[in-house]
Amino acid sequence: MRTIRPGLASGALALALAVLAEPTVALAVAAALGGAAKAPVPADRLVDLACRHAALAFASVAVATALGVGLGVAVTRSSGTALRPLVDMVAAGLQAVPPVVVVALAFPALGFGAAPTLLALVFYCLMPVLRGTVAAIEAAPADVKEAARAMGFTRLQLVLRIETPLALPLIAEAVRVALVLAVATAAVGAIAGAATLGTPIITGLQNQNELHILQGAAATAALAFLMESAWLIATGLIGRDQSNG
Amino acid sequence: MSHAPLASDAGRAADRLPAVSARAVGIGLRATLTAVALGGLYAGNWAMIAPNRLVQGDGLAAPSLLGAWAHAAALGLVALTSSGSGRAAELMAPIRFAGLLGLLIGMVVLTGLFGSELLAGRPAPARYMVGSGFWVFVAALLLLLLDDARLLRPARLALILGFGVLAVAIARRTGSFEALSIMVEYRARADVFHTALVRHLSLSCGALGVALVLSVPLGWLAFRGRRARAVIDAGLSGIQVVPAVALFGLLVSLLSLALGAWPRLRELGLAAIGPTPALIAVAAYLALPLTRGLAGGLAAAEPALIETAHAMGMPERRIAWEVRLPLGLPVFVAGLRVATVQAIGLVTLGGLIGAGGLGALVFEGMAQFAPDLIILGSAPVIAFAILSDLGLRAFELRLARPLS
């Protein structure tokens, strides 16, 4: 129970926000606040957008994870130290550039749709994963590595059987942070035509329909908490199984 | 386990290799970046000439545009990047850095000058824009420069960069860049651009100020009590998952409702559209890094030190000012850095709700499908974000140094 409690809390929050995004509830809330009655986004449209939103976030985090873990492993090898300053600076630079600017700059080259947003999210999520990977590998105690080497482990075995299992929990934590970041940020892609939960937000801004904005915002936040909850529960259960087994 | 001694021998042999192979990787990195730059120069679309600003132009390769200059640049690049390795390469670093910077500036100037030749005699709406090959070349050279920058002493780096800035300023004065389409776009709306620039910076600073005023008490509360910290952290993290665009829009609606209910607020200078909602929304996002930085900074001092201060009879307030604050400064500056970079990015979104700033130019460019206008608005945002990141990071390291 203790391993999944943080996950359940996020899950409850996700549920509450999803209810807020539901058309009739959102309409009632807006009316209670004194807003004029307007047409809400239908529930099935919202679910469809949420699925696309989640897929886009997952795809970006998958790419960022592959790149970040790969680069993180590379720069912590003794032969990769020469790459480290440049990799660090580029990752920090890519994260400093606001995602909306990446979307806008990529838009003329990559066109209308999901591609500019995918690029922006990969840029944005690369640094957390890279940082997490490097920190995780460096946190592995030197004497464990030394002992493994003394036992005759090859360098590949050292990576696969010692460093990876030791580093995995910290990397998983970094990927969770990246995933929540990606879900909260993907909405901005709507300005370049990516179908996400940002789409009702942007149309709401254009047509002055705050109901659409409220629904889009609540649904995005719900999705972020849902992802976090699923991730925490899954990693909590896996961690428990491993410590039992 | 019969193969263990063998594997161990291989491992030890591999241990002796790294010093050599790390150097090899460094050389390989430079060779790769050089190859990419050459690819941009020879295989890419260096520049385009189009009948007007909204059409894709006809591409020109660098050799056909710049002639012998392109080959000279290629030769210079190869000569500079293949200059020795190890100790020799480190001694060469300042020369290589200066050479690469000169090469980069020179190519931009040449591209501009040959452009004005091409444009001469064409109708006024004709545009001369740089292409993908040019951007690939510039990106590869910037990465090469970045890789070398760390080998230089700060004073020398500043001197070389200063000369670079001077060279660019002179080239601009003599009109070398006037033909480039981005400069044409800039000339067409220089006033709008400058207003947007000032508005962007003042909104970013304003939001930082508002967020700081909010964060000081919150950070103190979070530092004092574990319960308060959990509540504050959860509340402020909750804001982070609301998309910024939506928070801006919702604030516009809420403010207009509030102004309708209490018209007196208008006298305070509040308005439902424009800078007010942008300022509030951006400040709401900045509160998290600032509060965490403050609370973390206050807690950064070692318990033993605090105990000593207590034993000396220092009151809690003096301990906070004279022990915790100075020792926690690096942690707070780290929070400030994150908040500053976020502020510059988030203010860009204010362009969507009429708050002005550089975002307004970016979104106008997107609506018109005019890449030059997008670049004109984006370039200063990127420059501000990266410069404040670098500057505050350097400050942070400087503050942390005497401690370690």
Side-chain angles (χ1 to χ4, degrees):
Chain A
M1 190 62 201
R2 213 177 60 213
T3 46
I4 58 170
R5 190 171 290 157
L8 291 180
S10 313
L13 213 50
L15 191 68
L17 285 160
V19 169
L20 179 61
E22 204 275 329
T24 48
V25 179
L27 200 58
V29 170
L33 284 173
K38 280 166 185 157
V41 185
D44 53 345
R45 165 90 174 132
L46 222 47
V47 171
D48 176 50
L49 287 173
C51 291
R52 290 160 184 266
H53 191 118
L56 187 55
F58 266 126
S60 324
V61 173
V63 176
T65 302
L67 277 174
V69 172
L71 284 172
V73 170
V75 299
T76 46
R77 301 306 96 190
S78 50
S79 53
T81 44
L83 298 173
R84 183 150 179 195
L86 191 64
V87 168
D88 272 351
M89 278 190 285
V90 169
L94 289 181
Q95 216 220 6
V97 177
V100 56
V101 169
V102 179
V103 171
L105 283 174
F107 170 62
L110 302 179
F112 213 65
T117 314
L118 189 78
L119 186 73
L121 293 180
V122 170
F123 281 8
Y124 202 52
C125 295
L126 179 61
M127 190 166 87
V129 178
L130 177 70
R131 276 271 160 88
T133 306
V134 170
I137 291 175
E138 284 181 344
D143 50 350
V144 174
K145 288 189 219 173
E146 206 55 49
R149 210 170 289 163
M151 281 171 66
F153 277 53
T154 62
R155 274 199 283 182
L156 185 67
Q157 279 177 319
L158 193 69
V159 171
L160 291 182
R161 295 186 38 198
I162 305 293
E163 288 186 316
T164 308
L166 280 175
L168 221 47
L170 281 173
I171 296 178
E173 179 60 18
V175 173
R176 179 184 69 82
V177 170
L179 195 61
V180 175
L181 265 181
V183 171
T185 314
V188 86
I191 61 166
T196 63
L197 289 167
T199 309
I201 299 174
I202 295 292
T203 57
L205 272 179
Q206 282 163 347
N207 308 323
Q208 299 190 337
N209 185 340
E210 52 277 353
L211 198 52
H212 283 202
I213 305 178
L214 177 67
Q215 287 182 285
T220 311
L223 193 62
F225 281 118
L226 181 70
M227 294 271 193
E228 185 175 64
S229 152
W231 191 269
L232 285 174
I233 290 175
T235 49
L237 289 178
I238 293 169
R240 191 176 60 181
D241 284 354
Q242 276 185 351
S243 54
N244 285 350
Chain B
M1 285 304 258
S2 60
H3 63 280
L6 250 178
S8 166
D9 279 349
R12 241 175 266 130
D15 277 348
R16 263 181 269 117
L17 279 174
V20 181
S21 84
R23 193 191 292 168
V25 171
I27 295 171
L29 174 69
R30 253 192 285 151
T32 312
L33 288 173
T34 307
V36 170
L38 290 177
L41 195 62
Y42 282 105
N45 199 352
W46 192 262
M48 291 173 286
I49 191 130
N52 62 57
R53 73 194 270 260
L54 302 179
V55 224
Q56 275 277 334
D58 302 322
L60 291 162
S64 65
L65 177 72
L66 309 174
W69 289 105
H71 306 304
L75 273 179
L77 179 64
V78 172
L80 280 170
T81 52
S82 57
S83 54
S85 61
R87 189 93 190 98
E90 253 164 65
L91 288 175
M92 275 286 289
I95 300 168
R96 198 167 58 217
F97 187 86
L100 286 171
L101 188 64
L103 189 64
L104 179 62
I105 295 172
M107 285 303 274
V108 179
V109 170
L110 282 171
T111 307
L113 290 176
F114 277 89
S116 35
E117 243 173 63
L118 263 176
L119 276 183
R122 282 177 200 261
R127 288 295 174 99
Y128 170 72
M129 43 194 105
V130 290
S132 50
F134 174 87
W135 290 120
V136 169
F137 180 84
V138 169
L141 251 68
L142 283 177
L143 287 177
L144 280 167
L145 284 168
L146 209 55
D147 193 40
D148 270 346
R150 76 201 145 87
L151 299 175
L152 269 61
R153 263 177 279 148
R156 207 171 268 176
L157 182 68
L159 185 72
I160 298 176
L161 286 177
F163 271 113
V165 171
L166 191 69
V168 171
I170 293 172
R172 212 198 127 188
R173 264 299 160 94
T174 51
S176 311
F177 305 132
E178 295 305 301
L180 296 172
S181 55
I182 297 171
M183 284 304 284
V184 178
E185 203 74 48
Y186 167 71
R187 278 203 305 278
R189 43 185 97 216
D191 288 345
V192 180
F193 177 77
H194 288 138
T195 318
L197 200 72
V198 172
R199 170 63 72 84
H200 201 100
L201 287 179
S202 53
L203 271 178
S204 306
C205 293
L208 262 177
V210 172
L212 256 177
V213 169
L214 273 173
S215 303
V216 169
L218 287 178
W220 179 254
L221 286 175
F223 161 65
R224 297 298 300 187
R226 183 183 286 195
R227 245 207 141 73
R229 179 163 68 226
V231 172
I232 291 170
D233 217 65
L236 294 180
S237 312
I239 297 175
Q240 306 285 321
V241 297
V242 178
V245 200
L247 194 58
F248 280 62
L250 290 174
L251 271 173
V252 171
S253 313
L254 283 178
L255 272 175
S256 64
L257 283 176
L259 289 175
W262 302 290
R264 284 202 134 176
L265 288 174
R266 275 183 210 283
E267 291 162 24
L268 295 172
L270 291 180
I273 206 131
T276 315
L279 208 64
I280 300 174
V282 175
Y285 287 103
L286 306 186
L288 181 72
L290 287 177
T291 306
R292 277 193 186 161
L294 276 166
L298 285 170
E302 274 180 49
L305 263 170
I306 303 296
E307 232 152 81
T308 314
H310 269 299
M312 282 167 65
M314 269 171 107
E316 198 58 47
R317 179 191 291 264
R318 262 190 71 195
I319 295 180
W321 275 109
E322 292 173 24
V323 182
R324 291 189 188 278
L325 212 62
L327 288 176
L329 217 49
V331 183
F332 172 67
V333 172
L336 184 68
R337 172 174 61 80
V338 174
T340 308
V341 173
Q342 275 192 6
I344 291 163
L346 288 169
V347 165
T348 314
L349 289 170
L352 285 173
I353 52 159
L358 292 161
L361 290 180
V362 174
F363 297 129
E364 196 188 330
M366 287 181 82
Q368 299 179 1
F369 217 85
D372 290 318
L373 189 50
I374 300 178
I375 297 173
L376 186 64
S378 304
V381 176
I382 296 178
F384 290 149
I386 288 183
L387 285 179
S388 49
D389 190 47
L390 281 177
L392 286 169
R393 203 182 287 270
F395 187 44
E396 199 181 311
L397 288 176
R398 200 186 186 98
L399 284 174
R401 203 178 304 150
L403 283 176
S404 55

